[in-house]
């Protein structure tokens, strides 16, 4: 392992930071892909596998491959947790990461340790660097991460590898897999339209690109247009495509799903179908749990109720605010970035702040890390956190390639239908100033950010506010980041918020530019 050792090592740079510098060098552009480079020489991935001597390992790996617009990360997380609780050695590859790139690579439910990560990272990086050039260039950011995942899972000899598609399906780096055990397609909707197409049919066609000849596949109830395309693609490849029903909450024996929100029962149902099929096809299961509607194996229940994925309907109290009443600043985090997801997320947020919702999994993400995350860091007094007469404040981030006229009305209307109105709306830059990977990659102090897009968002929100006749939102304050003139507590919030706000922007890659958080709300008592 080179660790970047060229005889001029810097004493103030840690081995991990050195690896992050090398990884950052693979970020080739800072704008989303367009149709002119669709595919982007997908065949290169097979060359990379040969260089890394991974082609045979992948063919023998027992893989579950999941694509979709919404819920694929959650579905993969449920799937991994179920099979881990069944006693299998699991590998999970997801994207993007929240703070540390190692979050993308999970072994038995835990982020890969730094020592192993560095060993596998430099093993892959050095071999690729030595064997690439003009004809076969170095893989770009996301492709390298996918290749690294394959190396990790092969070397660690996992029993099952669960792979979440990064973008689309057909040309995604994970689709170098040719013989998965089972495939899944989560809910489809309008997202990445500049890359995947302008209709649900076109988008479904790209997602169905992960279907393989004769390999069974599952999906969830889809719009007719999308379902017709999925069925046609499945028929062409002799794929037995089935629709997995949402999980019946009664099967959890009074427990709650580890991932919060009503929509997660859809993802959980798909995960149960994927796990059941994987168990059957790998010779580990005789009973078909897909046909059982009255009970689930205890291992399935344990997996579903302890699954964890940060940044998905996550409730986090601000532990940096020193106060006599802890828990008086609470973040409600979610990465919703499509009209449908925005509505679902707004519903979750509205319910989460109501008194009758306070006993539901507000600190579940702690347990989910299998106590590897300090309980103290996120523990809160629920009675304090969910007190009445609190103030809802919206922090909103939207990339310019998205249409805020589709997102903001869904958000406002969904919240209003539950009696929730934001006192303040803060619009923050959609362009990341974090151009390097790593938790220590902070922007320079003199960075200037163009806020013209945020002012546009502000005006749109203001028009929506004024358009709500007789609503309680007429006094809502609308501000962009440069206009903040609040109490020290709110300023403290903004500083803390930056860490969470850029969790998707830390995942910049050539195939997949940052998927910014669209809904990031907090409540201050």
């Amino acid at each position: 392992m080179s660790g970047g050792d060229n005889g001029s090592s810097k004493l103030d740079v840690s081995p991990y930071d050195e690896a992050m510098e090398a990884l950052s060098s693979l970020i080739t552009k800072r704008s989303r892909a367009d149709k002119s480079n669709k595919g982007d020489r997908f065949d290169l991935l097979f060359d990379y596998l040969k260089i890394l001597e991974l082609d045979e390992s992948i063919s023998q790996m027992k893989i579950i491959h999941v694509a979709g617009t919404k819920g694929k990360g959650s579905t993969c997380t449920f799937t991994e947790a179920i099979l881990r609780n069944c006693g299998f050695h699991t590998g999970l590859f997801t994207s993007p990461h929240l703070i540390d790139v190692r979050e993308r690579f999970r072994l038995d439910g835990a982020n890969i340790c730094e020592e192993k990560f560095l060993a596998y990272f430099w093993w892959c990086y050095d071999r690729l660097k030595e064997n690439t050039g003009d004809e076969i260039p170095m893989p770009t950011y996301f492709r390298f991460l996918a290749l690294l995942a394959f190396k990790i899972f092969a070397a660690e000899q996992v029993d099952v590898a669960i792979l979440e598609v990064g973008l689309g399906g057909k040309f995604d780096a994970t689709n170098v897999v040719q013989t998965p055990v089972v495939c899944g397609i989560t809910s489809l909707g309008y997202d990445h339209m500049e890359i995947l197409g302008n209709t649900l049919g076109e988008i479904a066609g790209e997602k169905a690109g992960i279907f393989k000849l004769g390999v069974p596949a599952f999906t969830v109830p889809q719009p007719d247009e999308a379902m017709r395309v999925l069925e046609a693609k499945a028929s062409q490849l002799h794929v037995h495509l089935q629709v997995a029903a949402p999980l019946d909450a009664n099967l959890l024996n009074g427990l709650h799903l580890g991932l919060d929100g009503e929509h997660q029962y859809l993802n959980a149902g798909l995960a149960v179908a994927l796990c059941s099929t994987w168990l059957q096809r790998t010779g580990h299961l005789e009973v078909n749990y897909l046909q059982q509607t009255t009970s689930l194996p205890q291992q399935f229940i344990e997996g579903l109720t302890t699954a964890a994925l940060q940044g998905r309907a996550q409730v986090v109290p601000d532990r940096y605010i020193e106060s006599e009443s802890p828990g008086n600043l609470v973040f409600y985090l979610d990465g919703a970035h499509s009209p449908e997801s925005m509505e679902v997320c707004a519903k979750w947020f509205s319910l989460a702040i109501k008194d009758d919702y306070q006993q539901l999994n507000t600190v579940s993400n702690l347990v989910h890390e299998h106590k590897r995350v300090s309980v103290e860091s996120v523990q809160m007094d629920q009675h304090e956190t969910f007190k009445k007469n609190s103030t809802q404040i919206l922090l909103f981030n939207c990339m310019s390639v998205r249409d805020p006229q589709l997102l903001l009305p869904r958000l406002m209307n969904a919240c209003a239908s539950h009696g929730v109105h934001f006192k303040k709306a803060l619009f923050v830059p959609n362009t990341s100033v974090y151009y390097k990977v790593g938790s220590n990659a902070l922007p320079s102090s003199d960075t200037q950010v163009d806020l013209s897009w945020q002012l546009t968002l502000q005006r749109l929100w203001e028009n929506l506010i004024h358009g709500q006749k007789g609503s309680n939102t007429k006094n809502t304050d609308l501000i962009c980041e440069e206009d903040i003139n609040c109490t020290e507590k709110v300023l403290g919030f903004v500083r803390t918020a930056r860490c969470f706000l850029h969790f998707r922007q830390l995942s910049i890659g050539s195939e997949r530019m940052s998927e910014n958080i669209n809904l990031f709300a907090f409540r201050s008592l």
Side-chain angles (χ1 to χ4, degrees), residues 366-436:
L366 312 167
V367 181
H368 304 150
E369 288 296 323
H370 297 274
K371 300 180 181 177
R372 290 180 173 87
V373 174
S374 170
V375 173
E376 182 181 359
S377 69
V378 288
Q379 211 165 27
M380 60 183 171
D381 185 330
Q382 291 188 1
H383 296 294
E384 281 291 324
T385 305
F386 290 93
K387 278 164 53 175
K388 294 181 180 180
N389 303 319
S390 60
T391 299
Q392 282 72 52
I393 302 176
L394 171 69
L395 175 59
F396 191 86
N397 173 250
C398 178
M399 292 182 67
S400 58
V401 296
R402 304 193 185 280
D403 186 353
Q405 297 189 66
L406 294 177
L407 301 178
L408 286 172
R410 290 284 192 106
L411 164 64
M412 177 180 289
N413 293 335
C415 287
S417 67
H418 290 86
V420 174
H421 305 282
F422 293 104
K423 175 61 177 176
K424 292 184 182 294
L426 290 76
F427 298 95
V428 297
N430 61 293
T431 303
S432 176
V433 291
Y434 295 74
Y435 292 141
K436 293 182 179 179

Side-chain angles (χ1 to χ4, degrees), residues 86-205:
C86 286
F88 294 100
H89 180 28
T90 62
L92 173 63
F93 176 62
T94 60
S95 60
H97 60 275
L98 197 66
I99 297 173
D100 192 318
V101 71
R102 293 181 298 115
E103 297 167 26
R104 296 171 181 250
F105 315 94
R106 289 197 167 198
L107 296 171
D108 296 326
N111 300 343
I112 186 172
C113 69
E114 186 173 312
E115 182 181 3
K116 285 185 176 182
F117 174 83
L118 289 175
Y120 294 132
F121 177 91
W122 289 116
W123 192 95
C124 292
Y125 189 88
D126 289 345
R127 279 158 182 74
L128 289 167
K129 200 72 173 176
E130 293 168 2
N131 293 280
T132 54
D134 294 336
E135 290 296 319
I136 303 178
M138 277 290 285
T140 47
Y141 177 80
F142 184 77
R143 287 184 174 182
F144 178 84
L145 292 176
L147 293 166
L148 178 56
F150 292 132
K151 173 58 181 178
I152 291 171
F153 298 156
E156 292 295 318
Q157 298 182 315
V158 298
D159 297 320
V160 55
I162 300 102
L163 306 178
E164 176 194 357
V165 167
L167 178 68
K170 183 177 181 180
F171 295 121
D172 186 75
T174 61
N175 204 34
V176 71
V177 171
Q178 298 300 298
T179 56
V181 175
V182 61
C183 296
I185 305 290
T186 64
S187 298
L188 299 178
Y190 293 98
D191 193 25
H192 302 298
M193 295 165 64
E194 75 285 359
I195 303 172
L196 304 180
N198 295 314
T199 69
L200 277 180
E202 291 175 328
I203 293 171

Side-chain angles (χ1 to χ4, degrees), residues 452-468:
S452 57
W453 175 245
Q454 283 62 59
L455 294 173
T456 299
L457 295 173
Q458 175 182 325
R459 288 191 292 269
L460 173 58
W461 181 266
E462 189 170 15
N463 290 336
L464 292 172
I465 292 294
H466 293 324
Q468 286 194 334

